[in-house]
Amino acid sequence: MIRFVLLAVVVVVLWFLLLKLYKETKAKRVDWTGIAAFIGFVVLAFYLRHATGLG
């Protein structure tokens, strides 16, 4: 049950972040370097979890 609640919270936060990103993209005030660094960090975290089994 706790997993479903955490998953729901993550989905809602991601939805708001995507909505904010869409609005800023339309306004053309996007810092693509920061976005790429954030996405890279998340991808690296998932890869390291897969490769090492930790986390």
Side-chain angles (χ1 to χ4, degrees):
M1 183 67 182
I2 292 176
R3 288 184 181 180
F4 291 123
V5 172
L6 289 175
L7 181 63
V9 170
V10 168
V11 168
V12 169
V13 169
L14 285 176
W15 179 258
F16 282 125
L17 287 174
L18 287 173
L19 189 62
K20 182 178 177 182
L21 178 64
Y22 175 73
K23 287 181 181 180
E24 287 187 15
T25 302
K26 287 187 81 168
K28 297 183 180 179
R29 294 179 296 143
V30 179
D31 176 23
W32 290 108
T33 306
I35 293 171
F38 175 74
I39 292 172
F41 180 76
V42 171
V43 169
L44 181 63
F46 278 108
Y47 170 73
L48 289 175
R49 177 184 164 93
H50 172 72
T52 63
L54 298 175

